[in-house]
Amino acid sequence: MKLKWSIPIALVVFFAAGCGDSQKTKHDLEQQKITEKNQSELTSDQTNKPAVKPEKSSAQSEKTTIQPGNTTNQLETSTHQTIKIHDVAIQKESPIINIIYPQIDGMKDKLAQIEINESLKKKASTADESQMTNDDPSSPSSFYSKYEITFQNEHLICFVYDQYYYLSGAAHGMPARVPILVDLDNGKMVEPNEMFNDLDKAKQIITQLVLKEDVLHTLEAMGEFKQITSDDLMQIYLIKEGLIIYFPPYEYASYAEGTLQYQLPFSDITGILNTAFFNSHGIDISKPSNLITIYASEGYHFSVPKTWIDRLVFQRADYEANNPWFDEVNIYYNSSDKPVLFSIHMYEKQVWTSLNPETEVKLEEDNNIIYSYSVGKNPQNDLQVNDFINNVVPEIMKTFQIDF
């Protein structure tokens, strides 16, 4: 079995003891990552908002603290509302609860604002504390929830909650993702399937796009994926370029693959979209896209020109204990000799410092993890491969981003 990290949720998988030395190393890294990650994200969210620092209660018997954060976002709407968004943080020590959720101010319809804010709070606080015992004191039960604003204009705000629930003594925890689309014009929550005009056709078209973007053949491994379902259409959220559909662990792939996600550019799904909805909410769905975004299960994505996608082969390397990296994705040119065009790696920070800086180019750093890439050797007589390595790869690397 390939040993992979599941970071798209930006939180950690807890592995049971006794899984071997390599898994123990991975577990130790993830324990460190969750400690560092959540300590920092309890004070600022993914959009670099001002810090939210809840203070501990003075009552020794009460370990829960709820503290409104600073105003983190503000916009003027077409209905002459000044919408402000601020954070609220909830912390508990036993069981471990770390939650940040948004609250909206400034809506003219105060009753609608109250209902929306209650829903935003409720969806962030989904942990069943009655089940969160401490059967294993070394791995206490915990629940983490944070959010990101993935789209915002004067009509709509899309929040996406990223959550992780762990029960003491379990082999691992479970991630969850919760999309919430708020219509500021009428004070209502928008269900994801309201964005489509023909649900049956939408399932067919989206299935085709998902399979085209599944370049690592993750969905083929378990053989469970045939076509998305009506429930899958509820697992969709809005971004500037289009929509994202995601599949939780175990739905179509193994737990180790994490939360799978695929981008649906507006220009590729125009025929199945509710154009009246998007037009009335100030979103141009006609702008063409010449890129295909590839989401890797380790929690990052990058975009490749559509003109190249059929000429490339994507492959994840098997993990071996003697590799300096713990994850590698190789991109080859689709020819008989299959030369490597470029590779993306993930390293422990301490390992990265010992590498030859001339062979790897650093992309991002996320706590104790370094993301980097290296390019293949330019074949002397292949002009297309040379053009890709010299001109296309640098542009692809500009699109690299860490997810959640």
Side-chain angles (χ1 to χ4, degrees), residues 269-300:
I269 56 173
T270 304
I272 59 175
L273 292 177
N274 180 353
T275 55
F277 171 84
F278 288 96
N279 291 338
S280 64
H281 290 85
I283 300 176
D284 181 6
I285 61 175
S286 64
K287 186 177 179 180
S289 172
N290 63 351
L291 299 174
I292 289 183
T293 300
I294 306 302
Y295 283 83
S297 61
E298 279 68 23
Y300 60 84

Side-chain angles (χ1 to χ4, degrees), residues 198-211 227-228 264 268-272:
D198 186 331
L199 297 185
D200 289 332
K201 187 177 180 181
K203 287 186 283 187
Q204 297 174 9
I205 298 299
I206 293 173
T207 297
Q208 295 171 8
L209 281 174
V210 165
L211 290 173
Q227 178 176 294
I228 68 166
L264 312 174
D268 291 349
I269 56 173
T270 304
I272 59 175

Side-chain angles (χ1 to χ4, degrees), residues 270 302 384:
T270 304
F302 55 91
Q384 287 196 5

Side-chain angles (χ1 to χ4, degrees), residues 219-270:
L219 293 171
E220 294 179 9
M222 302 290 288
E224 298 292 329
F225 183 80
K226 306 300 179 184
Q227 178 176 294
I228 68 166
T229 67
S230 297
D231 289 340
D232 291 332
L233 286 178
M234 303 300 290
Q235 296 169 180
I236 282 179
Y237 59 88
L238 184 63
I239 61 173
K240 182 180 179 181
E241 299 80 9
L243 305 175
I244 297 290
I245 185 168
Y246 63 92
F247 305 128
Y250 292 131
E251 182 175 359
Y252 296 119
S254 68
Y255 181 89
E257 300 292 350
T259 300
L260 304 179
Q261 52 187 2
Y262 302 89
Q263 183 172 316
L264 312 174
F266 286 133
S267 58
D268 291 349
I269 56 173
T270 304

